[in-house]
Amino acid sequence: MSRLLLRGAQVITMTPDRPDAEHADVLVDGDHIADIGENIEAPDAEVIDFSGRVIIPGLVNAHLHTWQTALRSAGADWTLMQYLTHLHGECVGQYTPADMHISNLAGALNQLNCGTTTVGDWCHNALSPEHADAAVEGLVQAGIRAVFLHGTPYRSPDTPHPLAEIDRLLDGPVRDHALLTLGMALQGPQYSSPETAVADFRAGAERGLVVSMHQSGGEPSPGWEAVRRAGLFSPLTNIVHGIDLPEDWLKTLLEAGVTFTTTPENELGQGHGTPITGSLLRLDAAPSLGTDIDTAVPGTVLTAARIALAHQRSLDHAHHRQTTGMYANTPSITSKQALAWATVEGAKALGLADKVGRTSRACRPTWSPSTPGRSTCGRRTTPSPRPCTPTSPTSRR
């Protein structure tokens, strides 16, 4: 790859020591970012005019059941119970390994096309080793960075996660690909017996893997307290939705470094409950974002960010009017905060905070401008390893 100088873009790096946004040049040397600054001189570089364009870090979709892409929009009008009945009760067992492959390939390509360069693929339809391998191959062929969160269809609360399959994936299909990381999609404390929840958490901790789980609706079950007593909540713990967790539990989990992922459009539309964005912000924390299920909502994480932002602002405006009788003069949340949820916080939730979520020197971009003056929106040309943050140029439309 030749040296490229992207001239005159508006760059949003999400890096703490840089401005919120700056007009700058970005110098790409081979497969990494060599410099970011004003009026960079690089006589040997091909210059591409990026005036009027915006460069942001590659977006992170921290929670997506990519295997459902083949059923896109089939459940647009499903409630949560209808989704569980039709999707998990009727469709899951019909999937073949070939179905898993094409769903993951198409879903990952769609994510790249939307500017998402990293995805948390919550694959809870790994019916067999062949299904898991086919799903992994779809991600590999797309060239996306992914945390493959291995899971199985819903099972008895007393049935532990299949650790032999986790170790098989660690020893082969995932280890062989530089852009993939393995994690565990657990049933979690809400849907497992206390003994099973502790065993699953301990297995993840022993392997140094991110463990992610759903929690939406209802008071915490006894499994939560069992995991807390075992001291197994950590920064490698990711809770999706988190709806109805009491504030004392949120505080306990945040103090342990636990991350939360909200999927606002799906949570609001299907009936999970109210997204916990505001609850986290009041505790000086923040969510990461996911789009959850292509069966019901679009897979665009920027849409999730806009919905999360607008929904919480609406709640805050209503509270302000109720307490003061007046409209608020300033917004309670900024757009940059919402962008952080889709970048920096997503990287943290997937255990990739040292690799993605920001644009900085020595990062390996996930795109290649194919036509001067034109953005390719996160598309990659080669699946080379990226030890640092990806970037995604997008046109201002």
Side-chain angles (χ1 to χ4, degrees):
M1 183 185 296
S2 61
R3 281 162 62 88
L4 300 174
L5 181 59
L6 312 181
R7 179 76 77 186
Q10 180 160 301
V11 183
I12 301 171
T13 67
M14 304 304 294
T15 302
D17 59 350
R18 300 191 73 101
D20 287 353
E22 54 192 302
H23 285 283
D25 305 333
V26 178
L27 179 62
V28 180
D29 186 359
D31 63 355
H32 68 277
I33 295 174
D35 199 5
I36 302 174
E38 295 184 7
N39 303 315
I40 294 175
E41 295 296 331
D44 59 339
E46 176 187 357
V47 179
I48 301 177
D49 182 10
F50 261 49
S51 300
R53 297 178 181 273
V54 176
I55 296 177
I56 65 173
L59 302 172
V60 180
N61 191 335
H63 186 76
L64 177 66
H65 302 298
T66 319
W67 62 271
Q68 296 184 25
T69 303
L71 297 172
R72 176 179 288 176
S73 299
D77 292 327
W78 286 347
T79 64
L80 179 58
M81 289 308 300
Q82 288 173 320
Y83 163 78
L84 293 172
T85 298
H86 297 310
L87 194 285
H88 290 281
E90 299 168 1
C91 296
V92 162
Q94 306 302 317
Y95 266 69
T96 67
D99 296 327
M100 295 294 289
H101 173 261
I102 194 62
S103 294
N104 264 31
L105 174 58
L109 289 173
N110 178 59
Q111 289 301 304
L112 288 169
N113 190 55
C114 293
T116 295
T117 57
T118 303
V119 64
D121 179 25
W122 222 92
C123 189
H124 60 340
N125 197 29
L127 298 167
S128 69
E130 292 75 23
H131 284 75
D133 291 353
V136 166
E137 185 59 27
L139 299 173
V140 171
Q141 287 186 359
I144 199 167
R145 180 183 288 279
V147 177
F148 181 71
L149 294 152
H150 174 274
T152 64
Y154 293 110
R155 56 194 185 276
S156 163
D158 296 318
T159 302
H161 202 89
L163 297 181
E165 184 64 359
I166 292 297
D167 291 335
R168 184 190 72 83
L169 289 165
L170 279 173
D171 289 339
V174 172
R175 185 188 62 183
D176 293 342
H177 302 290
L179 298 182
L180 293 188
T181 307
L182 187 67
M184 296 170 66
L186 300 181
Q187 290 200 155
Q190 193 70 9
Y191 308 109
S192 299
S193 67
E195 297 77 15
T196 299
V198 168
D200 286 346
F201 267 74
R202 184 164 286 123
E206 290 170 350
R207 292 160 175 79
L209 302 179
V210 169
V211 294
S212 182
M213 65 224 65
H214 293 118
Q215 199 285 340
S216 58
E219 290 293 313
S221 69
W224 291 92
E225 180 59 27
V227 174
R228 187 196 66 79
R229 286 199 307 269
L232 291 170
F233 288 120
S234 78
L236 290 177
T237 305
N238 171 248
I239 297 172
V240 181
H241 309 311
I243 293 167
D244 286 346
L245 282 174
E247 184 172 321
D248 60 337
W249 262 108
L250 288 178
K251 288 180 179 179
T252 295
L253 294 166
L254 290 170
E255 287 171 359
V258 171
T259 63
F260 289 84
T261 302
T262 182
T263 64
E265 185 170 7
N266 185 50
E267 290 168 2
L268 291 166
Q270 282 200 327
H272 289 259
T274 301
I276 64 169
T277 307
S279 298
L280 294 175
L281 294 176
R282 287 190 290 273
L283 294 172
D284 295 322
S288 57
L289 296 174
T291 58
D292 208 347
I293 52 173
D294 276 8
T295 44
V297 302
T300 310
V301 75
L302 275 183
T303 299
R306 286 194 293 268
I307 290 174
L309 177 64
H311 176 255
Q312 190 56 48
R313 279 180 173 177
S314 175
L315 295 176
D316 294 342
H317 281 306
H319 178 72
H320 192 274
R321 287 196 302 273
Q322 290 169 359
T323 54
T324 69
M326 299 287 291
Y327 290 99
N329 291 323
T330 57
S332 56
I333 309 169
T334 67
S335 297
K336 186 179 180 182
Q337 284 178 275
L339 182 58
W341 306 340
T343 54
V344 177
E345 297 298 334
K348 187 190 304 181
L350 297 177
L352 299 174
D354 60 335
K355 293 182 174 66
V356 299
R358 294 187 170 94
T359 299
S360 59
R361 293 179 184 179
C363 301
R364 297 176 187 261
T366 61
W367 49 273
S368 176
S370 55
T371 306
R374 211 177 150 176
S375 162
T376 55
C377 193
R379 295 184 181 90
R380 302 180 58 251
T381 54
T382 57
S384 56
R386 297 191 301 273
C388 204
T389 312
T391 65
S392 171
T394 56
S395 1
R396 185 184 295 161
R397 295 186 177 93

PDB file of all heavy atoms in Angstrom, residues 86-101:
ATOM      1  N   HIS A  86     -41.208 -17.238  18.006  1.00  0.00           N
ATOM      2  CA  HIS A  86     -41.014 -17.549  16.593  1.00  0.00           C
ATOM      3  C   HIS A  86     -39.542 -17.784  16.237  1.00  0.00           C
ATOM      4  O   HIS A  86     -39.218 -18.751  15.535  1.00  0.00           O
ATOM      5  CB  HIS A  86     -41.569 -16.409  15.733  1.00  0.00           C
ATOM      6  CG  HIS A  86     -43.047 -16.223  15.881  1.00  0.00           C
ATOM      7  ND1 HIS A  86     -43.948 -17.261  15.779  1.00  0.00           N
ATOM      8  CD2 HIS A  86     -43.793 -15.107  16.130  1.00  0.00           C
ATOM      9  CE1 HIS A  86     -45.178 -16.807  15.956  1.00  0.00           C
ATOM     10  NE2 HIS A  86     -45.110 -15.509  16.191  1.00  0.00           N
ATOM     11  N   LEU A  87     -38.671 -16.906  16.720  1.00  0.00           N
ATOM     12  CA  LEU A  87     -37.265 -17.033  16.337  1.00  0.00           C
ATOM     13  C   LEU A  87     -36.601 -18.191  17.070  1.00  0.00           C
ATOM     14  O   LEU A  87     -36.045 -19.104  16.462  1.00  0.00           O
ATOM     15  CB  LEU A  87     -36.548 -15.714  16.599  1.00  0.00           C
ATOM     16  CG  LEU A  87     -35.154 -15.491  15.976  1.00  0.00           C
ATOM     17  CD1 LEU A  87     -34.060 -16.258  16.673  1.00  0.00           C
ATOM     18  CD2 LEU A  87     -35.172 -15.790  14.481  1.00  0.00           C
ATOM     19  N   HIS A  88     -36.679 -18.154  18.401  1.00  0.00           N
ATOM     20  CA  HIS A  88     -35.969 -19.169  19.192  1.00  0.00           C
ATOM     21  C   HIS A  88     -36.760 -20.464  19.318  1.00  0.00           C
ATOM     22  O   HIS A  88     -36.166 -21.533  19.486  1.00  0.00           O
ATOM     23  CB  HIS A  88     -35.614 -18.606  20.563  1.00  0.00           C
ATOM     24  CG  HIS A  88     -34.549 -17.561  20.508  1.00  0.00           C
ATOM     25  ND1 HIS A  88     -33.218 -17.859  20.385  1.00  0.00           N
ATOM     26  CD2 HIS A  88     -34.639 -16.199  20.515  1.00  0.00           C
ATOM     27  CE1 HIS A  88     -32.511 -16.743  20.332  1.00  0.00           C
ATOM     28  NE2 HIS A  88     -33.347 -15.723  20.411  1.00  0.00           N
ATOM     29  N   GLY A  89     -38.063 -20.380  19.228  1.00  0.00           N
ATOM     30  CA  GLY A  89     -38.851 -21.605  19.333  1.00  0.00           C
ATOM     31  C   GLY A  89     -39.035 -22.335  18.022  1.00  0.00           C
ATOM     32  O   GLY A  89     -39.190 -23.555  18.008  1.00  0.00           O
ATOM     33  N   GLU A  90     -39.000 -21.598  16.886  1.00  0.00           N
ATOM     34  CA  GLU A  90     -39.328 -22.221  15.608  1.00  0.00           C
ATOM     35  C   GLU A  90     -38.184 -22.201  14.595  1.00  0.00           C
ATOM     36  O   GLU A  90     -38.027 -23.151  13.819  1.00  0.00           O
ATOM     37  CB  GLU A  90     -40.549 -21.521  14.995  1.00  0.00           C
ATOM     38  CG  GLU A  90     -41.800 -21.631  15.868  1.00  0.00           C
ATOM     39  CD  GLU A  90     -42.909 -20.693  15.408  1.00  0.00           C
ATOM     40  OE1 GLU A  90     -42.709 -19.975  14.395  1.00  0.00           O
ATOM     41  OE2 GLU A  90     -43.971 -20.664  16.060  1.00  0.00           O
ATOM     42  N   CYS A  91     -37.388 -21.137  14.583  1.00  0.00           N
ATOM     43  CA  CYS A  91     -36.402 -20.971  13.501  1.00  0.00           C
ATOM     44  C   CYS A  91     -35.021 -21.532  13.829  1.00  0.00           C
ATOM     45  O   CYS A  91     -34.313 -21.995  12.925  1.00  0.00           O
ATOM     46  CB  CYS A  91     -36.262 -19.488  13.155  1.00  0.00           C
ATOM     47  SG  CYS A  91     -37.756 -18.746  12.495  1.00  0.00           S
ATOM     48  N   VAL A  92     -34.640 -21.450  15.090  1.00  0.00           N
ATOM     49  CA  VAL A  92     -33.269 -21.785  15.470  1.00  0.00           C
ATOM     50  C   VAL A  92     -32.827 -23.146  14.945  1.00  0.00           C
ATOM     51  O   VAL A  92     -31.769 -23.283  14.305  1.00  0.00           O
ATOM     52  CB  VAL A  92     -33.112 -21.726  17.005  1.00  0.00           C
ATOM     53  CG1 VAL A  92     -31.872 -22.468  17.455  1.00  0.00           C
ATOM     54  CG2 VAL A  92     -33.030 -20.274  17.469  1.00  0.00           C
ATOM     55  N   GLY A  93     -33.602 -24.165  15.188  1.00  0.00           N
ATOM     56  CA  GLY A  93     -33.203 -25.516  14.815  1.00  0.00           C
ATOM     57  C   GLY A  93     -33.155 -25.773  13.334  1.00  0.00           C
ATOM     58  O   GLY A  93     -32.637 -26.814  12.892  1.00  0.00           O
ATOM     59  N   GLN A  94     -33.682 -24.852  12.530  1.00  0.00           N
ATOM     60  CA  GLN A  94     -33.691 -25.033  11.081  1.00  0.00           C
ATOM     61  C   GLN A  94     -32.381 -24.592  10.427  1.00  0.00           C
ATOM     62  O   GLN A  94     -32.137 -24.889   9.256  1.00  0.00           O
ATOM     63  CB  GLN A  94     -34.857 -24.243  10.459  1.00  0.00           C
ATOM     64  CG  GLN A  94     -36.218 -24.557  11.058  1.00  0.00           C
ATOM     65  CD  GLN A  94     -36.582 -26.020  10.935  1.00  0.00           C
ATOM     66  OE1 GLN A  94     -36.374 -26.638   9.887  1.00  0.00           O
ATOM     67  NE2 GLN A  94     -37.112 -26.585  12.005  1.00  0.00           N
ATOM     68  N   TYR A  95     -31.554 -23.870  11.164  1.00  0.00           N
ATOM     69  CA  TYR A  95     -30.314 -23.349  10.592  1.00  0.00           C
ATOM     70  C   TYR A  95     -29.306 -24.471  10.330  1.00  0.00           C
ATOM     71  O   TYR A  95     -29.042 -25.301  11.199  1.00  0.00           O
ATOM     72  CB  TYR A  95     -29.681 -22.341  11.537  1.00  0.00           C
ATOM     73  CG  TYR A  95     -30.037 -20.898  11.262  1.00  0.00           C
ATOM     74  CD1 TYR A  95     -31.321 -20.421  11.492  1.00  0.00           C
ATOM     75  CD2 TYR A  95     -29.092 -20.007  10.774  1.00  0.00           C
ATOM     76  CE1 TYR A  95     -31.655 -19.100  11.241  1.00  0.00           C
ATOM     77  CE2 TYR A  95     -29.406 -18.681  10.522  1.00  0.00           C
ATOM     78  CZ  TYR A  95     -30.688 -18.230  10.761  1.00  0.00           C
ATOM     79  OH  TYR A  95     -31.015 -16.916  10.506  1.00  0.00           O
ATOM     80  N   THR A  96     -28.734 -24.474   9.147  1.00  0.00           N
ATOM     81  CA  THR A  96     -27.623 -25.358   8.803  1.00  0.00           C
ATOM     82  C   THR A  96     -26.319 -24.575   8.928  1.00  0.00           C
ATOM     83  O   THR A  96     -26.328 -23.339   9.005  1.00  0.00           O
ATOM     84  CB  THR A  96     -27.767 -25.859   7.361  1.00  0.00           C
ATOM     85  OG1 THR A  96     -27.599 -24.740   6.467  1.00  0.00           O
ATOM     86  CG2 THR A  96     -29.126 -26.523   7.127  1.00  0.00           C
ATOM     87  N   PRO A  97     -25.170 -25.245   8.920  1.00  0.00           N
ATOM     88  CA  PRO A  97     -23.908 -24.505   8.900  1.00  0.00           C
ATOM     89  C   PRO A  97     -23.815 -23.528   7.724  1.00  0.00           C
ATOM     90  O   PRO A  97     -23.299 -22.411   7.877  1.00  0.00           O
ATOM     91  CB  PRO A  97     -22.858 -25.617   8.804  1.00  0.00           C
ATOM     92  CG  PRO A  97     -23.496 -26.770   9.522  1.00  0.00           C
ATOM     93  CD  PRO A  97     -24.946 -26.699   9.135  1.00  0.00           C
ATOM     94  N   ALA A  98     -24.348 -23.916   6.560  1.00  0.00           N
ATOM     95  CA  ALA A  98     -24.327 -23.009   5.413  1.00  0.00           C
ATOM     96  C   ALA A  98     -25.148 -21.752   5.685  1.00  0.00           C
ATOM     97  O   ALA A  98     -24.777 -20.649   5.260  1.00  0.00           O
ATOM     98  CB  ALA A  98     -24.858 -23.730   4.167  1.00  0.00           C
ATOM     99  N   ASP A  99     -26.262 -21.903   6.402  1.00  0.00           N
ATOM    100  CA  ASP A  99     -27.074 -20.739   6.763  1.00  0.00           C
ATOM    101  C   ASP A  99     -26.295 -19.811   7.697  1.00  0.00           C
ATOM    102  O   ASP A  99     -26.358 -18.581   7.572  1.00  0.00           O
ATOM    103  CB  ASP A  99     -28.367 -21.182   7.458  1.00  0.00           C
ATOM    104  CG  ASP A  99     -29.285 -21.991   6.555  1.00  0.00           C
ATOM    105  OD1 ASP A  99     -29.305 -21.731   5.336  1.00  0.00           O
ATOM    106  OD2 ASP A  99     -29.973 -22.894   7.078  1.00  0.00           O
ATOM    107  N   MET A 100     -25.570 -20.396   8.652  1.00  0.00           N
ATOM    108  CA  MET A 100     -24.774 -19.591   9.574  1.00  0.00           C
ATOM    109  C   MET A 100     -23.699 -18.822   8.811  1.00  0.00           C
ATOM    110  O   MET A 100     -23.455 -17.639   9.073  1.00  0.00           O
ATOM    111  CB  MET A 100     -24.120 -20.488  10.629  1.00  0.00           C
ATOM    112  CG  MET A 100     -25.104 -21.187  11.557  1.00  0.00           C
ATOM    113  SD  MET A 100     -26.002 -20.045  12.633  1.00  0.00           S
ATOM    114  CE  MET A 100     -24.693 -19.553  13.755  1.00  0.00           C
ATOM    115  N   HIS A 101     -23.086 -19.486   7.839  1.00  0.00           N
ATOM    116  CA  HIS A 101     -22.012 -18.851   7.081  1.00  0.00           C
ATOM    117  C   HIS A 101     -22.516 -17.645   6.300  1.00  0.00           C
ATOM    118  O   HIS A 101     -21.966 -16.543   6.391  1.00  0.00           O
ATOM    119  CB  HIS A 101     -21.363 -19.860   6.138  1.00  0.00           C
ATOM    120  CG  HIS A 101     -20.368 -19.233   5.205  1.00  0.00           C
ATOM    121  ND1 HIS A 101     -20.683 -18.898   3.905  1.00  0.00           N
ATOM    122  CD2 HIS A 101     -19.081 -18.868   5.399  1.00  0.00           C
ATOM    123  CE1 HIS A 101     -19.636 -18.356   3.327  1.00  0.00           C
ATOM    124  NE2 HIS A 101     -18.645 -18.328   4.209  1.00  0.00           N
TER     125      HIS A 101
END
